[in-house]
Amino acid sequence: MAGTIAATGSTHAEDQHPASAGWVRTHDSWVRVRPGHPHTAADALTALTARTVPSVTRRPFHPTGLVNNEQPEVTYHGGQDSVGVTSGPPRVYIVYWGSQWGTAGKDDAGYTTLSNDPEHAAPYQQSFFKGLGTKGDAWSGVMTQYCESVTTGSTKCPVNSPHVGVPHGDALAGVWVDNSTAAPQAATEPQIAAEAAAAAKHFGNTSTASNRNVQYVVTTAQGLDPDHWHELNSWCAWHTFERSSYGTLAYTLMPYLTDYKYCGTNWINPGPRGRLDGWSILGSHEYAETITDQNAIGGWIDPAGQEDGDKCAWITEGTPGGLFNLQLATGSFAVQTTWSNDQHTCSGSHPVVANRPLVVSTLCDRTAPLDRPVSVPVIATDRASKALRYSASGLPRGLSIDPRTGLIHGRSDQRGTRAVTVTVRDSAGNQASTRFHLGILHNAAYGCGGIEQVVDPGFEVPADAKGNYPGWWTQSSPGIITQSTAHASRSGKGYAWLGRNASQDDTLSQAVETTPGYTRAHFSFWLHVDSTNASTQPQDTLTLELDDQYSGKRIAVLRTWSNLDTTSGYVPVGIDLTPYAAPEFGSTVIVKFTSHETGSAATAFLVDDTSFRLA
């Protein structure tokens, strides 16, 4: 599978590495990166204060301060790039990025210290991750109920499925003070993603297998403004992933949290140590979401687009499901609860669901070109034995699996799609299997098919008791997303009805992440135009456009319909977004519908069953 990050020792002229193509020079290497973007606004989290924090175009989050046990359960989304959850013991690598951190040292406990860390946040952050899984840590147990290799839409996990792993005081796998040069004052998404890739290289994690259960926490120094943090003041941290030549890399951006007091400062505890509450509250939030949705959004998400951490963020201490101090062998840390399907509530305690001794990762359905080289790694985690043997059945002619490494390789001229079963055995007699479909097709692209990126694609998430739509679509007025019987949906109960208002334009939009490393994007939906406008001129219109996530400025008008384009029912519409999204690839774009009515609202533009796919 071709990645879009390729770290090399190149010293070629800069015109061979244009910034417009995503090239960044870092650590004496050229790195081509398509950056990620926070895919949930709950990572951002406006805290519950009297201050109103400006909103930005990110997926909406509505903190209440109270647990809501009427929330829907999280469901499995099928995995992305052969990854659904962190199925082995989680490993966290912390990067302190930039010379702005000052000089590195060590404290009495062996934690890395930094001379320009006035809050002493670095050793606190390290000790939190170092302590996870110790002292009867039942908080870590909550996440172990989730798994991969189950049917999309599942809410429960069989005992023999690969569950989220649990650390045993070894989650902190490494610390890198990258202070050879200054970090950018206002790091862009390409620069943040490049730093995560540089960290993988620094720690020697340069293979798919070595990054399978890993996350990188890119941490910036006081006063820096990564990804517009200070201007927006609407998020505290975020996580995403990127495709790379090292496999997929899960990473978190963690700014210097006490720069903004609403990111957890003294949220539970008083005094100097309490000023660091945010580092473990946000640290626990991003960590929990990463291990249950490592390659977002392929893991465990609810219908409204919230991960397990989102559903339980900023609930008041002392109330059910509220923030609390977690006692670990390395100290006491303020953390949030996370959503438990088993208990149907926000929980800080759950028995650890132990994985079987031998776990083999999900393999996604994929395609490869006819008679071209194929390379598919199979990744297994085994706590009983390191002597593993791999076998496979159903492989197309010309392909084989290396019995020692699990790499499926070769080339095939046998056209078609076949079900392949991979079995792994260890010397202790344990066995695990996984199954996937492999298509050898003419002119096929390499790699996994992208999963659905639109949250609530069919508009089936109902309004709450107050009439507010809790999903990720943004509508200009309530009722555009509707289950009204005045018109019919194409499927299910919900649909979007634009053109209801004659006095103002109706708009409907969703921010969608064009995940780094993918190179193509396609948007589709079903449209029914129902009009009583007798004019022979185009008076009532529906416009579909692609917008920039920060400025809201239009990238492109994709298509326009009018009252002259009536249909007898829903008709399919498909648009290749690649030519328009290419300059934005790796960031988040906004897909936006706008209807305009002249005179009375005589034309109904009905939209249903949307889809945004990457490849």
Side-chain angles (χ1 to χ4, degrees), residues 448-603:
C448 309
I451 67 170
E452 181 59 67
Q453 299 298 305
V454 174
V455 176
D456 192 20
F459 307 105
E460 298 301 321
V461 175
D464 61 21
K466 296 182 179 180
N468 298 314
Y469 171 72
W472 284 6
W473 290 101
T474 300
Q475 49 186 346
S476 56
S477 60
I480 294 174
I481 296 173
T482 183
Q483 297 185 3
S484 169
T485 57
H487 296 281
S489 63
R490 177 181 176 269
S491 65
K493 295 181 179 180
Y495 61 98
W497 178 0
L498 295 105
R500 301 186 67 158
N501 297 309
S503 59
Q504 65 178 37
D505 291 350
D506 288 338
T507 64
L508 180 70
S509 62
Q510 184 169 145
V512 184
E513 184 175 3
T514 60
T515 306
Y518 292 85
T519 57
R520 300 196 305 274
H522 187 267
F523 183 61
S524 63
F525 60 98
W526 290 75
L527 175 66
H528 179 197
V529 181
D530 186 8
S531 182
T532 59
N533 189 330
S535 173
T536 59
Q537 299 299 315
Q539 294 182 333
D540 307 326
T541 59
L542 176 70
T543 300
L544 174 63
E545 64 187 68
L546 202 65
D547 290 349
D548 176 79
Q549 60 158 334
Y550 286 122
S551 68
K553 292 182 179 179
R554 180 181 294 168
I555 297 169
V557 173
L558 304 172
R559 197 77 60 84
T560 299
W561 299 264
S562 77
N563 51 285
L564 303 182
D565 298 313
T566 57
T567 62
S568 59
Y570 283 93
V571 297
V573 179
I575 300 173
D576 180 10
L577 294 183
T578 307
Y580 312 103
E584 306 288 327
F585 235 98
S587 62
T588 299
V589 294
I590 302 166
V591 177
K592 183 179 180 181
F593 294 94
T594 302
S595 67
H596 175 75
E597 300 284 321
T598 57
S600 61
T603 304

Side-chain angles (χ1 to χ4, degrees), residues 300-370:
W300 292 80
I301 313 288
D302 78 5
Q306 297 190 102
E307 296 172 298
D308 58 348
D310 300 335
K311 293 166 74 68
C312 304
W314 306 114
I315 299 173
T316 305
E317 178 198 12
T319 64
L323 298 162
F324 69 99
N325 283 314
L326 176 63
Q327 305 301 320
L328 301 174
T330 53
S332 176
F333 301 89
V335 297
Q336 70 160 79
T337 59
T338 57
W339 182 261
S340 168
N341 275 0
D342 289 350
Q343 299 154 304
H344 199 73
T345 192
C346 293
S347 177
S349 177
H350 189 284
V352 171
V353 181
N355 265 328
R356 300 177 70 182
L358 176 61
V359 171
V360 59
S361 294
T362 297
L363 281 170
C364 65
D365 295 338
R366 64 184 68 217
T367 59
L370 193 69

Side-chain angles (χ1 to χ4, degrees), residues 18 24 26 74 98 138 157 184 212 238 258-259 270 287 294 325 334 363 368 371 380 468-469 519 554 564 575 589:
V24 178
T26 178
V74 292
C157 291
R212 177 56 184 87
W238 52 252
T258 46
D259 280 0
Y287 169 85
Q294 183 170 322
N325 283 314
L363 281 170
D371 202 25
N468 298 314
Y469 171 72
T519 57
R554 180 181 294 168
L564 303 182
I575 300 173
V589 294

Side-chain angles (χ1 to χ4, degrees), residues 188-200:
T188 63
E189 294 175 71
Q191 291 167 326
I192 296 163
E195 183 66 8

